[in-house]
Amino acid sequence: MNYDEYIERMKDNKYKELVVTKSGEDKPYVFISYRSDSWKKVLTEIVYKLQKEYGLRIYFDKDFASETNTWVEQFQKNMNSPFCKAFICFFDEGYVTSYATLIELMHAMNPKSKLKDSIFSINFNIDWKKLDDNGNNTGLGVEQDDNPGWEKEKEAFEYEFKLIKDNDEYKAVEAYYKRNDELRVCDCKDIMNIIQPKNRRPFADTKEFYEHFIIKPLKDKCPSVFEDVLKADVVNQENKVIASNNVEEDRAYTLKNDIILKQDSESSVDVESIATPLSVNIPTIVSKATILRDFEKLCESVDFCVELGNARNKIRHGGKGLFDYLMAALLRGCDADIYDKKNNRVMRQAGYNYNKYAVVENPNDPKTSDIQYPWTWTTNCRKSIKKDDIPDRFFNEKGKVKSGRLEDFNKIFENLRPESTIGEVLEKFESREKGFDTKDNTLIFEAWNLIEEIHLN
């Protein structure tokens, strides 16, 4: 990009409006890889729409200046970040002939990368044959006054190239570059042609293309990269009233007919004094994109917990404990002090309501609904852990799992961030991370399918 093009980009209103999320901001995002002279089409037409219309969080090198030598370090830092969830590349003739974009693509695809299964390729028309005879040097490793990082770029290229050529699937790239050789345009093109992602799609400027080939795959793979996937819903039913003027305008309170506000002589609130808050920002349905904080608030609703209980009863034999274990993860713990018996006070409304209205046999029968320690829900969770992972102290003298708290396994759930999404938790169960490897993970996903089907009217 020459100076005049740089000035034009800096003055472009759409370009200026694009918001870049960086690794240090602790928010999930997608890495955008593009050739700099394609910025107009890529950034102000496609990426602009993805951000403004669909709420996609993105990173691209907006602040990069060619007179600095930070480019290699900058892209590696932001691509290696745990908050970088996917990689979108834009293939055109400029992209396939640039060593810089080739370094980025190889870095995303190498065997050590966590992004190799989350690469989305958008393709423009490329006349590959026209590039066959272009023997010009791409500039890799060429000393330039405006690029003090040229040596670091060459080192980075050779490191990434070795990782790619050592991969059996891409061994053919070895024929197009030898260490310390010149990287020609036609060589760069041939390497790109070999390693380009298999899920590439010809670009079409239609709503169907955006939603089917970009938005849907991203939501399925990493829903947390969207700012606001689910729009706010306010439940308005017969037995639900909108908060009065002396309550915050953005709150609604659900008052069930069978829940009565009581006060004793000492003005302490009874355990049945439950006014379940439903924020206008909390959805009445859930998906993989729902963040855990919103899911917990939704579980404060008795209606939703009753529906969870109905779903729990549908799961095949032996799955109720696994259903509870998934709920323990989604609510970020079930061993916390849910109910203060001494003061007759609910401490965690979501946990209390789930245990009482979804787990116990009959919430109106004191014999089955006396949810004191040990909690029914917690005991079910303990029994759902793989037997080999259960500490000896969890077993009684007969070799059966004792009732009680989940304890050290629960700490793993408590450490989940409230901004995490349900999809990210499910990914942990899919990869069977510590604490997410139960005696039957297939029932975990069956439980999720039942939860996802719940719709509050």
Side-chain angles (χ1 to χ4, degrees), residues 80-215:
N80 294 343
S81 166
F83 296 99
C84 183
K85 301 296 183 182
F87 179 94
I88 299 181
C89 47
F90 295 85
F91 269 70
D92 57 15
E93 289 189 3
Y95 193 94
V96 302
T97 56
S98 165
Y99 71 80
T101 50
L102 180 53
I103 294 175
E104 289 183 345
L105 182 60
M106 289 192 297
H107 190 74
M109 295 179 67
N110 77 53
K112 296 183 178 181
S113 172
K114 60 183 175 59
L115 296 174
K116 58 182 179 295
D117 296 322
S118 304
I119 297 175
F120 301 88
S121 172
I122 297 174
N123 287 29
F124 303 104
N125 290 329
I126 300 175
D127 187 349
W128 295 90
K129 289 186 177 179
K130 186 183 77 172
L131 302 172
D132 285 348
D133 299 325
N134 191 335
N136 294 333
N137 189 354
T138 58
L140 175 67
V142 177
E143 184 175 0
Q144 298 176 30
D145 292 339
D146 63 348
N147 183 18
W150 63 273
E151 289 180 300
K152 289 186 177 181
E153 290 176 353
K154 187 173 177 64
E155 290 174 7
F157 180 90
E158 293 186 339
Y159 174 77
E160 301 293 348
F161 186 76
K162 184 179 186 308
L163 290 175
I164 289 294
K165 74 183 179 69
D166 288 346
N167 187 320
D168 289 340
E169 187 176 356
Y170 303 117
K171 275 190 177 298
V173 302
E174 191 169 11
Y176 299 100
Y177 179 74
K178 296 290 188 287
R179 185 176 177 82
N180 294 322
D181 277 358
E182 182 180 280
L183 180 69
R184 300 174 301 171
V185 170
C186 55
D187 299 327
C188 189
K189 176 267 303 183
D190 285 326
I191 296 170
M192 281 280 195
N193 201 9
I194 293 169
I195 73 171
Q196 61 179 314
K198 293 181 175 60
N199 64 343
R200 55 193 179 276
R201 296 286 180 180
F203 175 71
D205 191 13
T206 64
K207 182 178 181 180
E208 290 74 20
F209 176 86
Y210 281 95
E211 294 187 351
H212 188 70
F213 294 121
I214 305 178
I215 302 303

Side-chain angles (χ1 to χ4, degrees), residues 40-308:
K40 189 81 174 175
K41 184 172 190 64
V42 169
L43 297 177
T44 66
E45 294 179 26
I46 301 173
V47 175
Y48 184 86
K49 183 178 290 188
L50 292 173
Q51 183 162 92
K52 297 300 180 180
E53 293 186 17
Y54 298 99
L56 184 67
R57 278 193 295 269
I58 57 167
Y59 169 82
F60 69 93
D61 52 355
K62 189 174 186 180
D63 298 331
F64 172 70
S66 59
E67 65 273 7
T68 70
N69 64 354
T70 61
W71 169 73
V72 170
E73 297 167 357
Q74 188 170 308
F75 97 75
Q76 290 176 340
K77 176 182 178 182
N78 287 282
M79 201 184 293
N80 294 343
S81 166
F83 296 99
C84 183
K85 301 296 183 182
F87 179 94
I88 299 181
C89 47
F90 295 85
F91 269 70
D92 57 15
E93 289 189 3
Y95 193 94
V96 302
T97 56
S98 165
Y99 71 80
T101 50
L102 180 53
I103 294 175
E104 289 183 345
L105 182 60
M106 289 192 297
H107 190 74
M109 295 179 67
N110 77 53
K112 296 183 178 181
S113 172
K114 60 183 175 59
L115 296 174
K116 58 182 179 295
D117 296 322
S118 304
I119 297 175
F120 301 88
S121 172
I122 297 174
N123 287 29
F124 303 104
N125 290 329
I126 300 175
D127 187 349
W128 295 90
K129 289 186 177 179
K130 186 183 77 172
L131 302 172
D132 285 348
D133 299 325
N134 191 335
N136 294 333
N137 189 354
T138 58
L140 175 67
V142 177
E143 184 175 0
Q144 298 176 30
D145 292 339
D146 63 348
N147 183 18
W150 63 273
E151 289 180 300
K152 289 186 177 181
E153 290 176 353
K154 187 173 177 64
E155 290 174 7
F157 180 90
E158 293 186 339
Y159 174 77
E160 301 293 348
F161 186 76
K162 184 179 186 308
L163 290 175
I164 289 294
K165 74 183 179 69
D166 288 346
N167 187 320
D168 289 340
E169 187 176 356
Y170 303 117
K171 275 190 177 298
V173 302
E174 191 169 11
Y176 299 100
Y177 179 74
K178 296 290 188 287
R179 185 176 177 82
N180 294 322
D181 277 358
E182 182 180 280
L183 180 69
R184 300 174 301 171
V185 170
C186 55
D187 299 327
C188 189
K189 176 267 303 183
D190 285 326
I191 296 170
M192 281 280 195
N193 201 9
I194 293 169
I195 73 171
Q196 61 179 314
K198 293 181 175 60
N199 64 343
R200 55 193 179 276
R201 296 286 180 180
F203 175 71
D205 191 13
T206 64
K207 182 178 181 180
E208 290 74 20
F209 176 86
Y210 281 95
E211 294 187 351
H212 188 70
F213 294 121
I214 305 178
I215 302 303
K216 185 180 183 302
L218 282 173
K219 284 184 178 179
D220 289 344
K221 195 75 177 178
C222 46
S224 60
V225 298
F226 293 91
E227 286 285 0
D228 185 20
V229 177
L230 296 173
K231 299 299 181 183
D233 286 317
V234 180
V235 177
N236 188 13
Q237 295 173 276
E238 261 181 49
N239 60 345
K240 297 178 176 66
V241 296
I242 303 302
S244 58
N245 293 334
N246 63 339
V247 181
E248 296 175 2
E249 291 183 357
D250 68 339
R251 305 290 290 182
Y253 287 84
T254 299
L255 299 179
K256 289 293 295 179
N257 293 332
D258 61 343
I259 296 176
I260 304 170
L261 187 63
K262 299 176 182 178
Q263 285 187 318
D264 60 23
S265 58
E266 297 178 358
S267 297
S268 63
V269 181
D270 185 87
V271 68
E272 293 303 316
S273 303
I274 303 174
T276 306
L278 281 180
S279 164
V280 295
N281 293 319
I282 305 305
T284 56
I285 59 173
V286 293
S287 73
K288 289 181 180 179
T290 304
I291 65 173
L292 301 187
R293 180 192 291 115
D294 286 355
F295 184 75
E296 180 169 356
K297 289 180 181 177
L298 185 55
C299 288
E300 292 175 358
S301 162
V302 172
D303 284 354
F304 187 68
C305 287
V306 169
E307 290 301 321
L308 285 170

Side-chain angles (χ1 to χ4, degrees), residues 389-406:
D389 293 335
I390 300 178
D392 291 340
R393 67 181 185 279
F394 278 20
F395 293 96
N396 62 21
E397 63 280 359
K398 295 182 179 180
K400 292 186 177 181
V401 179
K402 294 188 290 187
S403 298
R405 292 175 176 258
L406 196 61

